[in-house]
Amino acid sequence: MNRRTGGGLICICITSALVAGCESADEALVAQVGPYRITAGQYRSYVESLPGRWQPDMTGDEARLHHLQVLIDRCLLLTEARTLGLDTLATAREAAARAVDEYVVARYRLDWIRNQPELTEEEIKHVFHGEGFGRERRGLVIRVRTRAEIDTVLTELRSEQPFLEVARLRSLDRTTLEMDGGPGFLDRDQAARLGIPVSLFASLPLNQTSSPLRTGTDWQVVRFVEERPADYDRYRETIRTEFKNRRRAELDRLPRGEQQAAAREAGFYEGPDFLRAERKAREEAMLEMLRRRTNRAIDISPEQTRRYYDTHQEVFRHEEALWIEEVLLASATEAIRVRQEIEAGARFADLAVRSLRDRTRQQHGRLHFHAEDLVRFARLMPAAKGTEVGLLSGPLQVEGGFSVFRVLGRTADRVDPFDAVQDRARSLLLQQHQQERLSSLLDRLRTEHSTVIEIHTSRLQGAVPDYLLGG
């Protein structure tokens, strides 16, 4: 059954970047808006692309029509933009050209990296032995605050005082003393995270003390006392990844103009994919011009901003909260080593991949606690609440392992004062006015173009089955 629409379908504010134009390889038509076709393939792709939080509180055909309305509205806005001649504006053409160039260069870069030859086993072994991956070294470290203190350490070591004796007397890092003065066997990259340069790791002879090394705000010296061959299989993929990163860096050094020229020579400025990207870029530029035209001359007075703040206090409320950086390790020994790396200047964000806690890895080493989190973090959260902001703490035995953490900040339950959030309040009010203008524009366009909007309702469920719908 085909259905002509009036103005009654539900509208939501669209994000047009999620919509890949009005064409698809799947030519089954589910709707048409004048010259614009909405196919089953494009309709399904749009619904599949929606994050869960964008799914409406609807099911079945109601949800299908809701999603389809977004695509219909986009085509109505494109019709309006062309009616106003926005497709002829130089600014729109220039914006579209820039977007196409970005798309083409991104495709060229991806293709270039993908087509680089893989390292051969012989090349990997050459890097393994030649760039310091082939051995692990056990190091002893003495870390102090100032250059004068490290000079004193060197003087004492030159007078043949035992390294561990000087470490116990001078070193800030008390955890190393529990591990015979050092972090144990290190590979090349672990040493670098402790502030030991790769070149020094490779060249410093056994039982010789290094020159003073600046690490963060502190100073340190290191001495390697033992070494052993590294496991080649363990580092094979690390070396492959490092070389891929080097190739990306090599490409990054090429000026953008040279990358565009190379992409053009390789044929990326032609073909069906390019034509679709070009059409999409033109449409996005037109929609942006229409958005600016629709929203011009919206004036938000200070009095309106204050009134919005006073009537939307819940928007500006903060519950009691605690922010920390954390890495969770399987053993106290691992946790001590990670703490040493952080003290030497490593960032929690870089170490998060080693954390046993999924949430920490996903959030680059950061955790955000509210009162309801106490049940899940029965040991970590009270410890963090009692720790000074900025102080590195741990290892602390907690649920699931040993935690090394630093408190970043804490807030009490409060409503932000107006002076602190008036720019945000004005921005929210402006967005509200912009949404109202968009809704008014769409209401008008739906009415004006109702005779040229056609929906093939019998095809909607086949294009978007129930399992794709939220609710």
Side-chain angles (χ1 to χ4, degrees), residues 116-131 133 232 235-236 238-240 243 246-247:
Q116 292 301 299
E118 290 285 346
L119 288 177
T120 66
E121 202 68 22
E122 184 177 341
E123 289 171 326
I124 294 174
K125 287 180 179 178
H126 178 77
V127 173
F128 178 74
H129 293 293
E131 297 194 16
F133 290 97
Y232 171 71
Y235 292 98
R236 181 189 286 112
T238 299
I239 293 170
R240 287 188 194 277
F243 265 76
R246 291 182 190 181
R247 286 164 176 166

Side-chain angles (χ1 to χ4, degrees), residues 50-56:
L50 289 174
R53 66 182 183 277
W54 283 25
Q55 292 286 358

Side-chain angles (χ1 to χ4, degrees), residues 36 39 44 49 117 130 179 182 202 205 299 304 307 367 379 453:
Y36 294 104
T39 65
R44 181 170 53 253
S49 73
M179 303 177 68
D299 185 31
Q304 289 175 308
R307 189 159 52 250
L367 291 175
R379 298 197 67 185
I453 301 174

Side-chain angles (χ1 to χ4, degrees), residues 212-317:
L213 302 171
R214 189 69 184 265
T215 171
T217 59
D218 299 330
W219 290 85
Q220 68 180 10
V221 291
V222 61
R223 177 185 291 178
F224 295 114
V225 295
E226 189 179 355
E227 60 188 26
R228 66 188 182 191
D231 180 3
Y232 171 71
D233 289 335
R234 176 184 169 192
Y235 292 98
R236 181 189 286 112
E237 289 308 312
T238 299
I239 293 170
R240 287 188 194 277
T241 299
E242 179 157 327
F243 265 76
K244 286 179 181 177
N245 292 336
R246 291 182 190 181
R247 286 164 176 166
R248 288 190 182 95
E250 176 186 336
L251 191 56
D252 288 340
R253 288 192 289 271
L254 271 181
R256 183 50 61 101
E258 290 185 25
Q259 294 184 45
Q260 289 174 2
R264 190 177 301 278
E265 184 177 344
F268 284 93
Y269 277 90
E270 55 192 46
D273 287 344
F274 169 74
L275 293 175
R276 278 192 292 271
E278 189 177 45
R279 182 175 63 251
K280 179 186 174 184
R282 286 198 303 266
E283 291 177 350
E284 297 300 325
M286 288 163 54
L287 291 173
E288 175 61 18
M289 293 296 105
L290 180 61
R291 184 191 68 79
R292 293 182 187 178
R293 180 187 175 98
T294 302
N295 293 333
R296 66 188 178 188
I298 295 179
D299 185 31
I300 306 295
S301 70
E303 294 76 19
Q304 289 175 308
T305 302
R306 180 68 202 215
R307 189 159 52 250
Y308 180 87
Y309 170 81
D310 290 337
T311 56
H312 294 79
Q313 292 276 293
E314 71 284 354
V315 175
F316 306 101
R317 177 177 296 281

Side-chain angles (χ1 to χ4, degrees), residues 22-30 37-45 462-463:
C22 293
E23 258 184 36
S24 171
D26 185 346
E27 292 300 326
L29 197 66
V30 295
R37 294 164 51 87
I38 301 174
T39 65
Q42 195 220 330
Y43 177 39
R44 181 170 53 253
S45 294

Side-chain angles (χ1 to χ4, degrees), residues 4 31 44 68 110 158 170 205 258 343 407:
R4 298 280 180 179
R44 181 170 53 253
L68 184 60
L110 183 63
R158 290 183 189 121
R170 305 287 183 186
E258 290 185 25
E343 289 172 333
V407 177

